[in-house]
Amino acid sequence: MLGLSLRAEFQGKRLQGTAIELANDKGVGATQIPAQDFLRITYPSLDLLKAIEAVGPSQGRPVVLIGERGQGKSHLMAALYHALTDSHTTRSWLTHWSGTLSMPKLAELPLRDDMHVISESLHRQRYKHLWDLLFEKHPFGPHARGKWEGMGTDVPSDQVLLEMFTKQPTALILDEYQTWFDGLTNTKQHPWRNWAFNFVQLLSEIAKENPDKLVLVVSVRNGNSDAYQQLHRVGPVLVDFKGPNADRERRRLLLHRLFDNRLQVDDAAIEATISAHVSEYFRLHEVPPAEHDRKRMEFRQAWPFAPHLLQLLEDQVLVATDAQETRDLIRILANLYKNAGEKAPLLTAADFRLDGPDSGIMALLDSVSNQHHATLREKAQRNLDAVKEAVHDPAATVPHVSEVIGALWLRSLAAGNVAGADRGTLQLDVTRGKPVDDNAFQVELSAIVDNSFNIHQAGGRLVFREEENPEAKLKATARNDKLFADGGDRLHLAQQVRYVLGGAGDTAQHFRIVVLRETWHGDDPWSALELGDHPDQWDAKIPVLVLPEQPDKLDARLGVFLAKRLTKRRNTVRFLLPRAGLPNLFLDRDLLLLARMALKAAEWMKQSADYKPLQQKYEKELRTALRTRFDRYAILETWSFMEPTQCVFRVEALGEQGEKIPEAMDRHIRDNVFIPEDFRDFVLAAAANNDSVGKVLRELQEPRPNGHECIPWLGETAAQERVLRLCAQGKIGIDWRGQKYLQAQPGEAEQDAWNRIRGNIATGKHLDEVVLHLPQAAPQTGGTVTPPVQTPVQPVIPGFEPVAPPAVVAVAGGGGGATVLFPPIQPGLGSSLFEKPLSNGQKRHSVPATSPLNLLSRVENLGVNAGTPVRDVSIRIDALSGAQLQKLIKALPDGVTYALDLATEEA
């Protein structure tokens, strides 16, 4: 971007370490390479210039560098080493920067050029005592050691040291002094810490009183240790990497350390590149106009990194994790720029993406060495995958998901209440060359949060946490369609619809709620349902078919459904319809998500009690939504089997919700759709044909043919009660299974008749044994008609003598008498019967000999049905076998007495 060039040492696949070693065994330490090479990567910070001035020829105090690991103490010490050993190169370097920074005084800084420089990183623990270092590396060290050993003192005397430094002025640079000092033992046998304490006191006093002989530079981590106390007594020059310009200086140092040509990039070009981001920064963070110029300058100076990113890393992430600040920050930023710098006009927290190259993340994790943050990164990655899997078309729905998750993860590494980020901060992180629409980003962020399970709400901030957010996890799981490929969510939704409509009370006992699936009008609407919902498993309950959607052509759709998907009981079905304009029940995303969350919460609450209230919450929300979803029902009005699309259905509105709907539907049908007169006429016609109640009910359950309006099915019990009510009204008579005959008596009140006969309800196969009749003329007490018993008398016909019949059997009896089945006949009369005289109201009928089937037909043609009283019945049989006679006798009805006369033939 804008021709910015990363230094060669950071361009390889593997980033070289940025830790500064004064010297190492490979000979490539900071003090072992040429001054020109080292100073090329060194920025003249105020701390460095202060230190160079403090070791100049006119100064006379020790220099103490105070700062935690990674703040640049070693780099500064290496620069001092080169300033003391190569004044010519250092002068050129200062002159260059004096022009670049417009600071002429830099070129005038006095430098020493006559010092013997001894530098050592004491943390390597190569010397037990500091005097060993001096005696080994000073030109006159061996002589001084010999002189001291002759004295027999524990610590070399100031005289020995002064004589050595006089012969060769020396600069002693001790890095990691506190680390070395704190590691010394201090026992009676080995009081090495006390000796070191005394020796440093001697050195600091010599450096103060004889600055031309000794320059002492020491680094410590803090000013509270014993290692610093003796140095503090002589009033050293302190370089503590703090001050009003420390942050700005550190950022300039970072950029110079990272890039070859950062200072050569034009400020105007930088400002044009980042203008959109800066403008959004002012708007989203409500920066007052008076601060705009200062903030713009901060953005220009920090480019290609956003200042809020550097602040996040320096003041929150690295401090919170005890990383080595500047040193680690250089590595992190170098990795970040390598992976994203050429693409982004400004690098922000959103460039720490979790789905691509490490983009500085691994450098960060290596720096913090914190397992918690590494674990949090893994969870954030899983959250990212969950969001991409859960939403449809991630590129369009959540275009910034990778940036948002990465930025939120990085910001969640901060400590305390500053962890995480609000919506405005995350929106700014993803803002590049043009602003991001507020509403679109809010929708996107909501989708990300809803489908992530480690994002928690902390006040107005979102934050990643290692522990899962139960509700977020539930939502994220619910939005992952792949987890519900087995259709468990749709089954649960159907079950909830059934529960909401059917409940567990009377509704469930009287109505069968069948929830049809999304493909209800397909070739096989039943296979997706539970076995108990298949039509062949339906019982006497009234079936209520719940449609998942409003049919486009209601009459045609429902007519075809009844004709092709049901083979019987088509008139019993009631269709429950959803409110107009609603999507298919099983394609309604909101309802599916509620069903999934309720289902998963019920499953997970066995392992964690956190999910129980969530299960109750989402199940309640789901049921509330379902209670108001259905507001109409449809019932068949006219039927056309040949042209099902020509069927007509009656659609009625419902005023009830939820479990009250089936009863309200039934009540509305009884009061407003069912026409009692049509039912009466239908039953009277059946009674005229002597049809059984079973046949009547079966016919009522099927649509009426020939375009007649269908009689609404009220249920088996209600239909039988209405038949009995017609009987109580005297409209019909009922032969109740051959045991009794039900009929209203003359003059009997309807209610009295109803009270007497209303309990006579049959079920199952017994319905076919209960036969309807038109009412008889003279019903007897109790509603049971008992025909009178007549004793047959053979009349005397003039001119004929009675002839004994071949066989005589008595048939219709009762009251002690008998009716002759085969009476004697007069020869020549054929099938004429010998009858006794008829009484008033009686009529004689005669049928010639024929087969039993024809005889039955002839009897029906005579108007003799099951309810017709019959008197003086005689049937003549010319001849039959004994077996046939036995079979005939066994078939005679019970409750009547019979007499038998017959003639047998000799075998």
Side-chain angles (χ1 to χ4, degrees):
M1 180 65 67
L2 299 182
L4 194 60
S5 176
L6 199 64
R7 291 191 183 276
E9 61 191 280
F10 300 125
Q11 293 181 7
K13 291 185 177 180
R14 183 172 182 179
L15 185 65
Q16 298 180 15
T18 58
I20 296 297
E21 293 181 293
L22 297 184
N24 55 42
D25 296 336
K26 297 180 181 179
V28 293
T31 62
Q32 296 169 313
I33 63 176
Q36 182 177 359
D37 293 342
F38 183 79
L39 293 177
R40 186 169 55 249
I41 65 172
T42 302
Y43 178 81
S45 65
L46 294 180
D47 290 328
L48 176 55
L49 296 176
K50 179 180 179 181
I52 291 177
E53 184 179 14
V55 299
S58 60
Q59 301 300 319
R61 290 188 297 169
V63 178
V64 178
L65 309 181
I66 300 179
E68 293 296 335
R69 289 187 294 267
Q71 288 191 333
K73 301 187 302 296
S74 299
H75 191 105
L76 192 150
M77 283 186 157
L80 291 179
Y81 175 89
H82 288 294
L84 292 169
T85 57
D86 191 343
S87 59
H88 177 74
T89 301
T90 305
R91 176 69 61 196
S92 299
W93 176 73
L94 289 171
T95 301
H96 165 75
W97 279 105
S98 67
T100 301
L101 300 177
S102 299
M103 299 174 62
K105 291 185 178 181
L106 289 185
E108 302 173 1
L109 282 176
L111 301 173
R112 292 178 185 258
D113 57 5
D114 58 348
M115 303 294 288
H116 175 71
V117 182
I118 301 174
S119 64
E120 179 66 26
S121 296
L122 295 178
H123 71 282
R124 298 190 298 175
Q125 300 293 339
R126 294 190 175 185
Y127 299 95
K128 182 181 298 184
H129 306 295
L130 286 181
W131 53 80
D132 292 334
L133 170 65
L134 282 173
F135 292 155
E136 179 180 318
K137 294 192 174 183
H138 195 279
F140 297 94
H143 174 75
R145 179 188 289 275
K147 189 173 182 178
W148 165 63
E149 290 177 349
M151 294 180 179
T153 59
D154 294 331
V155 178
S157 67
D158 58 345
Q159 293 177 343
V160 172
L161 297 175
L162 273 172
E163 180 181 354
M164 183 174 62
F165 295 143
T166 300
K167 293 179 180 180
Q168 176 60 62
T170 303
L172 181 60
I173 300 175
L174 302 176
D175 193 15
E176 298 287 354
Y177 168 68
Q178 182 177 339
T179 302
W180 172 81
F181 184 88
D182 290 345
L184 296 176
T185 61
N186 198 35
T187 63
K188 185 175 182 179
Q189 184 178 1
H190 300 291
W192 294 337
R193 182 179 293 187
N194 289 339
W195 293 351
F197 191 87
N198 293 336
F199 189 68
V200 170
Q201 181 180 3
L202 292 175
L203 292 177
S204 61
E205 290 175 352
I206 292 173
K208 179 180 180 181
E209 297 171 1
N210 302 276
D212 56 328
K213 293 181 175 60
L214 177 64
V215 173
L216 179 61
V217 181
V218 176
S219 73
V220 295
R221 292 195 303 276
N222 56 69
N224 301 321
S225 66
D226 291 340
Y228 172 73
Q229 293 306 311
Q230 282 292 32
L231 296 168
H232 179 68
R233 292 177 59 187
V234 298
V237 176
L238 296 179
V239 179
D240 60 2
F241 300 91
K242 297 179 182 179
N245 298 316
D247 289 342
R248 185 181 64 182
E249 288 293 303
R250 184 181 299 110
R251 291 179 184 179
R252 288 179 175 177
L253 185 151
L254 284 170
L255 296 178
H256 180 71
R257 181 70 179 85
L258 286 167
F259 303 103
D260 282 324
N261 59 341
R262 173 59 184 82
L263 294 177
Q264 282 71 51
V265 181
D266 183 61
D267 283 351
I270 293 175
E271 187 155 350
T273 301
I274 65 176
S275 60
H277 184 94
V278 175
S279 297
E280 284 296 278
Y281 176 84
F282 293 157
R283 183 180 70 86
L284 293 171
H285 289 280
E286 300 180 349
V287 179
E291 291 289 312
H292 285 190
D293 289 341
R294 184 177 66 84
K295 289 295 183 181
R296 282 195 182 95
M297 183 179 65
E298 288 185 4
F299 274 94
R300 287 196 307 269
Q301 292 176 344
W303 185 86
F305 307 104
H308 47 80
L309 170 63
L310 297 179
Q311 182 180 8
L312 172 67
L313 293 172
E314 290 176 322
D315 300 344
Q316 297 177 22
V317 176
L318 295 182
V319 171
T321 56
D322 196 26
Q324 297 190 39
E325 298 200 9
T326 304
R327 180 185 304 168
D328 291 302
L329 189 56
I330 291 173
R331 297 178 62 249
I332 294 167
L333 296 178
N335 266 306
L336 182 63
Y337 185 82
K338 281 172 56 179
N339 289 281
E342 292 298 327
K343 303 174 184 177
L346 188 71
L347 294 170
T348 70
D351 291 295
F352 283 82
R353 295 180 55 152
L354 300 168
D355 60 343
D358 66 64
S359 66
I361 291 178
M362 292 311 299
L364 174 61
L365 294 178
D366 291 342
S367 300
V368 301
S369 299
N370 190 315
Q371 183 58 41
H372 164 69
H373 294 131
T375 302
L376 194 62
R377 179 203 179 197
E378 295 175 0
K379 291 185 177 293
Q381 286 176 317
R382 289 201 294 271
N383 281 225
L384 175 59
D385 294 337
V387 174
K388 289 182 177 180
E389 291 179 359
V391 302
H392 175 69
D393 191 5
T397 308
V398 284
H400 303 99
V401 60
S402 298
E403 293 94 325
V404 170
I405 296 278
L408 186 56
W409 168 77
L410 182 65
R411 293 184 177 279
S412 298
L413 299 184
N417 296 330
V418 297
D422 56 22
R423 182 196 65 81
T425 299
L426 292 173
Q427 183 173 340
L428 182 65
D429 284 337
V430 303
T431 300
R432 304 301 188 180
K434 61 180 181 180
V436 178
D437 182 76
D438 290 356
N439 294 330
F441 184 76
Q442 182 63 49
V443 172
E444 179 181 3
L445 184 61
S446 297
I448 293 172
V449 173
D450 288 344
N451 291 287
S452 302
F453 42 85
N454 286 93
I455 296 180
H456 296 252
Q457 189 80 37
R461 305 172 72 86
L462 298 172
V463 59
F464 263 117
R465 291 178 181 163
E466 192 169 344
E467 64 272 16
E468 292 181 343
N469 182 338
E471 188 163 15
K473 179 182 179 181
L474 202 59
K475 290 181 178 180
T477 303
R479 284 173 168 79
N480 191 338
D481 296 333
K482 296 179 181 179
L483 300 178
F484 299 92
D486 61 351
D489 53 342
R490 289 172 171 79
L491 174 60
H492 186 72
L493 180 56
Q495 291 172 341
Q496 290 300 309
V497 172
R498 177 187 298 167
Y499 178 84
V500 166
L501 297 176
D506 293 340
T507 300
Q509 296 176 7
H510 298 117
F511 302 92
R512 175 174 292 278
I513 309 297
V514 179
V515 184
L516 299 178
R517 297 301 177 83
E518 61 270 30
T519 56
W520 65 277
H521 48 68
D523 294 335
D524 184 11
W526 311 114
S527 61
L529 307 184
E530 298 178 61
L531 183 61
D533 287 339
H534 292 197
D536 56 357
Q537 300 294 320
W538 292 354
D539 50 21
K541 297 178 183 179
I542 297 177
V544 178
L545 301 189
V546 182
L547 296 186
E549 62 187 352
Q550 167 70 23
D552 49 355
K553 298 178 180 179
L554 188 142
D555 292 326
R557 286 282 190 190
L558 298 186
V560 171
F561 181 89
L562 289 180
K564 295 186 177 181
R565 310 301 168 226
L566 289 175
T567 59
K568 58 182 180 179
R569 303 184 65 186
R570 294 187 176 102
N571 193 47
T572 66
V573 174
R574 301 171 183 181
F575 294 97
L576 185 60
L577 306 175
R579 287 185 285 114
L582 292 178
N584 189 298
L585 174 70
F586 298 100
L587 301 179
D588 190 322
R589 186 70 175 172
D590 293 336
L591 289 181
L592 273 180
L593 292 180
L594 288 174
R596 290 174 177 181
M597 288 187 285
L599 178 63
K600 283 299 179 183
E603 176 184 333
W604 292 345
M605 69 182 184
K606 299 175 183 178
Q607 287 78 36
S608 173
D610 293 339
Y611 291 99
K612 184 174 182 178
L614 293 175
Q615 189 272 338
Q616 295 172 343
K617 171 186 175 181
Y618 290 116
E619 188 174 83
K620 181 179 179 181
E621 290 184 13
L622 175 60
R623 291 177 178 177
T624 300
L626 294 176
R627 283 177 57 84
T628 60
R629 191 174 184 87
F630 305 95
D631 66 345
R632 292 165 301 146
Y633 75 89
I635 190 170
L636 182 63
E637 189 167 291
T638 59
W639 170 250
S640 175
F641 182 79
M642 299 303 297
E643 293 291 338
T645 57
Q646 300 302 313
C647 294
V648 177
F649 287 80
R650 179 167 180 161
V651 179
E652 298 287 346
L654 289 167
E656 299 289 352
Q657 297 178 352
E659 68 279 359
K660 296 181 179 180
I661 285 179
E663 288 291 351
M665 186 192 316
D666 192 61
R667 184 169 56 253
H668 187 271
I669 291 173
R670 290 197 311 268
D671 297 344
N672 300 283
V673 181
F674 181 82
I675 301 177
E677 291 77 12
D678 290 349
F679 181 85
R680 178 200 61 196
D681 294 344
F682 179 83
V683 174
L684 290 179
N689 293 328
N690 301 126
D691 292 336
S692 68
V693 173
K695 180 181 179 182
V696 169
L697 295 184
R698 285 191 295 272
E699 291 183 358
L700 284 172
Q701 293 178 57
E702 299 299 335
R704 300 181 72 183
N706 303 322
H708 295 294
E709 287 192 7
C710 297
I711 299 174
W713 173 250
L714 303 181
E716 183 175 298
T717 301
Q720 286 197 60
E721 288 179 350
R722 288 183 175 272
V723 170
L724 291 176
R725 178 65 71 174
L726 290 174
C727 181
Q729 294 172 356
K731 307 292 184 183
I732 60 173
I734 303 175
D735 183 356
W736 206 80
R737 299 174 58 189
Q739 299 178 6
K740 52 188 173 182
Y741 187 81
L742 305 177
Q743 182 175 320
Q745 300 176 8
E748 185 180 21
E750 177 182 342
Q751 187 60 40
D752 293 338
W754 170 250
N755 292 336
R756 176 169 50 81
I757 68 178
R758 65 181 178 180
N760 294 277
I761 299 294
T763 59
K765 63 181 182 179
H766 299 303
L767 290 170
D768 291 324
E769 302 175 15
V770 180
V771 182
L772 302 180
H773 302 278
L774 292 176
Q776 304 301 320
Q780 303 299 313
T781 302
T784 302
V785 178
T786 305
V789 177
Q790 300 290 339
T791 302
V793 178
Q794 296 185 5
V796 178
I797 300 177
F800 292 93
E801 291 295 331
V803 179
V808 180
V809 181
V811 213
T819 300
V820 178
L821 181 62
F822 304 121
I825 61 174
Q826 184 71 23
L829 293 183
S831 59
S832 299
L833 302 178
F834 293 94
E835 305 160 338
K836 70 178 183 178
L838 298 176
S839 61
N840 292 335
Q842 291 182 338
K843 183 178 181 181
R844 179 72 62 188
H845 300 283
S846 177
V847 180
T850 184
S851 67
L853 183 60
N854 290 335
L855 182 62
L856 180 61
S857 176
R858 295 292 297 276
V859 170
E860 291 179 351
N861 292 335
L862 293 175
V864 178
N865 53 44
T868 304
V870 180
R871 301 288 186 273
D872 301 329
V873 179
S874 298
I875 297 178
R876 183 172 65 84
I877 300 175
D878 291 332
L880 74 170
S881 66
Q884 289 175 323
L885 177 63
Q886 292 177 356
K887 184 176 181 181
L888 177 63
I889 295 174
K890 290 179 180 179
L892 295 176
D894 295 333
V896 182
T897 58
Y898 304 93
L900 174 64
D901 292 313
L902 57 85
T904 61
E905 297 180 1
E906 295 295 335

